Amino acid sequence: MAHFFNEPSRTFNEYLLVPGYSSKDCRLENVNLTTPIVKFKKGEEPAIKARIPLVSAVMQAVSDDKMAVALAKEGGISFIYGSQPIETQAEMVRKVKSYKAGFVTSDSNLRPDQTMADVMELKKRKGHSTVAITDDGTSDGKILGIVTGRDYRPSRMAPETPISEFMTPFEELVYAEEGVTLSEANDILWAHKLNALPIIDKNQRLTHFVFRKDYDNHKSNPNELLDQHKRYVVGAGINSRDYEERVPALVDAGVDVMCIDSSEGFTEWQSETIAWVRKNYGDDVKIGAGNVVDRDGFLFLAEAGADFVKIGIGGGSICITREQKGIGRGQASAVIEVAAARDEYFKKTGVYVPICSDGGIVYDYHMTLALAMGADFIMLGRYFARFDESPTARLVVNGNYVKEYWGEGSNRARNWQRYDMGGDSKMKFEEGVDSYVPYAGPLRENVQLSLNKVKATMCNCGFLDLASLREGAKLTLVSATSIVEGGAHDVILKDSSQNSMR
């Protein structure tokens, strides 16, 4: 007879944390969110720790090199998507590892024969005011000039006006030569009262920009996540098909940690992938696995040698696996059971295998719940897809700014390897959708706001670090009535548009 679980499959929305005693030390600035990313033995330190418990999902619409740099600055890790050619994924990893703090590769570039209309469209899409004008319109082309917001006035110029007529030409630019230090570049910025300083090589090709605004940003990044060589930490997704070619390329590019990206991780395919990595690289190469939703799945991957285990099937906002296949589990139930299995495994073996909650996060407070239920860190897709740093286009839909967001199980992603069960190299049916998410602005401000909520909740509960939260948190199930009680009720809400006019 089939096995039936006694408890319903529960989501984060069905729980609340019960506050506890808060001492005078329970202040946001005292909360430590450092968390292990890879396994370690009792009494030892993990080889990789994050300063915040957030990582970005292995998704085309979320994690590229730009996202990786932005998140590493805040203390988290991006897992660059693997549903792309090996060479391009390795190049993204290489860009992150070679990124020089304060030196920014231009992603807003045009040719001098293009028009002001092109400038306006690019500014709308990228959100940047500084546009590099190069001979071929690429970020590393021969620089011919720069356009800033001070160079044109849309109300007084025809859209078809060529850029060559209003750009600041190269001959009039203040620039620095390749090899300049960040300190020297900032001195030039301040001496000439510039907002942006182009860095040029000996062939007059643009290599980077240094921006005045980044000076303060760099000084205010105390949580930067760096490796032993002072390079940003970056992860990457792999699959159980081409790992023999992909893993060496990523290791050569300098990747810090990898993750087998699959909708279901309790498989022989994943154990074989991990075994191959261990045979060829030992424990030096770090590799997580998943996804699983119960004790058996965790123990299988832990014993196979995974450095961390990812939890969640069907809980993502763009995932329709449960609808299509009827498999999965409420994310809260999955995290609670797997966390218990992790603790059991730790007591038995002395090896702590971190767990990552992947999916099911709708509100910021769900992050705290996931951590209190036992997750060491949280993987987020929709959350990060909303930000400037995600690789998708910013669009206007029905008068609102949005960003595109699609699942790795959608036909658009063409990521058949993620759902492969052997056989033909193609997707049999979709397990993800193509969608939009509301545009939310820069990553930094949003992440800091979310984590301040996490810290505030931890203080309310009397905990100053994540291990204490996992050990001592008190959680309660909520009824449908108490969920209603938790929001604004029995009042007439003021119109926000009227409030903004007062």
Side-chain angles (χ1 to χ4, degrees):
M1 182 178 176
H3 173 79
F4 290 86
F5 288 86
N6 293 325
E7 275 291 310
S9 181
R10 300 191 182 278
T11 68
F12 295 131
N13 228 36
E14 297 178 76
Y15 288 89
L16 285 175
L17 279 155
V18 176
Y21 170 73
S22 301
S23 71
K24 290 182 179 179
D25 290 331
C26 287
R27 301 192 304 272
L28 267 64
E29 61 269 26
N30 290 338
V31 176
N32 181 0
L33 295 179
T34 300
T35 193
I37 299 296
V38 298
K39 67 182 179 183
F40 58 95
K41 293 181 179 179
K42 186 176 182 179
E44 297 180 356
E45 284 293 308
I48 301 175
K49 293 190 289 187
R51 297 182 183 276
I52 62 174
L54 305 182
V55 302
S56 67
V58 190
M59 300 178 70
Q60 295 174 9
V62 179
S63 299
D64 64 355
D65 52 292
K66 185 177 178 183
M67 175 62 72
V69 169
L71 188 50
K73 286 181 178 180
E74 301 306 313
I77 301 175
S78 283
F79 284 83
I80 292 176
Y81 68 95
S83 50
Q84 60 177 317
I86 294 171
E87 296 76 16
T88 56
Q89 187 189 24
E91 182 57 26
M92 285 186 182
V93 170
R94 197 170 285 110
K95 284 182 178 179
V96 178
K97 301 306 291 187
S98 63
Y99 181 89
K100 294 186 290 183
F103 291 83
V104 180
T105 301
S106 175
D107 65 353
S108 295
N109 312 283
L110 294 171
R111 301 185 311 275
D113 60 323
Q114 292 180 271
T115 66
M116 189 183 73
D118 294 314
V119 173
M120 298 303 295
E121 190 278 331
L122 184 62
K123 181 179 179 181
K124 181 179 179 181
R125 182 158 47 89
K126 295 288 189 177
H128 301 156
S129 298
T130 301
V131 180
I133 310 304
T134 60
D135 59 348
D136 58 3
T138 67
S139 61
D140 57 356
K142 184 176 182 180
I143 189 165
L144 302 178
I146 286 179
V147 170
T148 70
R150 295 177 296 182
D151 293 321
Y152 60 90
R153 298 186 66 178
S155 61
R156 297 191 179 186
M157 296 170 62
E160 61 272 16
T161 304
I163 291 174
S164 58
E165 292 187 10
F166 60 88
M167 71 180 187
T168 301
F170 177 75
E171 294 75 20
E172 299 177 18
L173 288 180
V174 176
Y175 62 89
E177 295 182 354
E178 188 177 28
V180 66
T181 66
L182 182 60
S183 177
E184 292 168 342
N186 281 316
D187 287 343
I188 296 172
L189 279 170
W190 288 96
H192 294 271
K193 299 180 179 179
L194 302 172
N195 290 323
L197 178 71
I199 310 300
I200 312 297
D201 70 11
K202 60 183 180 181
N203 296 315
Q204 198 181 315
R205 294 192 177 277
L206 177 67
T207 64
H208 298 91
F209 273 113
V210 175
F211 292 97
R212 178 193 289 253
K213 63 181 177 63
D214 285 341
Y215 176 80
D216 291 330
N217 287 344
H218 181 59
K219 291 295 183 182
S220 59
N221 284 333
N223 282 334
E224 281 186 323
L225 192 59
L226 305 173
D227 65 16
Q228 60 182 346
H229 302 295
K230 305 300 182 182
R231 303 173 302 179
Y232 286 127
V233 172
V234 60
I238 65 171
N239 61 70
S240 56
R241 274 278 186 163
D242 63 10
Y243 57 87
E244 293 185 15
E245 294 79 35
R246 191 174 294 270
V247 169
L250 294 172
V251 171
D252 184 64
V255 73
D256 295 281
V257 57
M258 292 175 287
C259 179
I260 305 172
D261 183 42
S262 173
S263 65
E264 211 285 288
F266 195 175
T267 73
E268 186 176 3
W269 304 106
Q270 293 218 6
S271 62
E272 286 184 352
T273 303
I274 298 170
W276 185 89
V277 171
R278 294 290 173 250
K279 178 182 178 181
N280 289 275
Y281 297 97
D283 290 327
D284 293 337
V285 168
K286 306 304 180 183
I287 179 170
N291 286 17
V292 300
V293 292
D294 65 2
R295 174 182 182 276
D296 292 343
F298 170 83
L299 293 176
F300 173 80
L301 292 176
E303 290 167 359
D307 282 294
F308 66 85
V309 174
K310 198 145 62 78
I311 310 163
I313 295 177
S317 59
I318 40 67
C319 184
I320 55 174
T321 293
R322 296 179 192 175
E323 293 179 17
Q324 294 282 54
K325 292 181 175 178
I327 65 170
R329 197 176 191 188
Q331 191 67 4
S333 295
V335 171
I336 291 169
E337 180 171 330
V338 172
R342 175 206 55 207
D343 294 344
E344 171 192 334
Y345 186 80
F346 181 49
K347 290 179 181 177
K348 178 181 177 181
T349 67
V351 177
Y352 188 92
V353 181
I355 58 175
C356 169
S357 176
D358 177 18
I361 301 294
V362 180
Y363 305 108
D364 285 349
Y365 82 89
H366 289 172
M367 297 180 186
T368 320
L369 285 171
L371 296 167
M373 290 173 181
D376 295 279
F377 57 102
I378 304 163
M379 179 170 280
L380 299 161
R382 180 192 60 86
Y383 178 84
F384 286 113
R386 304 172 300 144
F387 303 150
D388 288 324
E389 294 81 1
S390 74
T392 63
R394 186 178 67 172
L395 309 172
V396 177
V397 176
N398 297 327
N400 298 310
Y401 281 112
V402 298
K403 296 204 78 176
E404 293 182 292
Y405 181 48
W406 60 92
E408 290 298 297
S410 67
N411 281 328
R412 179 173 182 174
R414 300 183 182 278
N415 188 8
W416 65 269
Q417 293 97 333
R418 190 176 198 271
Y419 300 86
D420 179 42
M421 296 294 287
D424 295 337
S425 57
K426 62 182 180 180
M427 288 186 67
K428 308 298 188 295
F429 51 86
E430 285 191 292
E431 295 187 44
V433 299
D434 200 341
S435 64
Y436 301 113
V437 289
Y439 168 68
L443 177 146
R444 179 180 177 80
E445 295 173 8
N446 284 279
V447 166
Q448 289 184 349
L449 174 62
S450 297
L451 292 180
N452 279 337
K453 293 180 184 179
V454 172
K455 291 178 179 180
T457 304
M458 289 174 62
C459 286
N460 289 147
C461 295
F463 303 111
L464 294 176
D465 61 72
L466 294 178
S468 299
L469 175 69
R470 290 192 297 269
E471 182 71 24
K474 295 183 292 183
L475 295 107
T476 180
L477 281 166
V478 296
S479 67
T481 306
S482 65
I483 291 175
V484 174
E485 181 186 60
H489 60 90
D490 300 317
V491 295
I492 301 172
L493 295 178
K494 294 181 179 180
D495 185 353
S496 58
S497 62
Q498 292 180 352
N499 291 339
S500 64
M501 295 173 66
R502 293 178 178 175

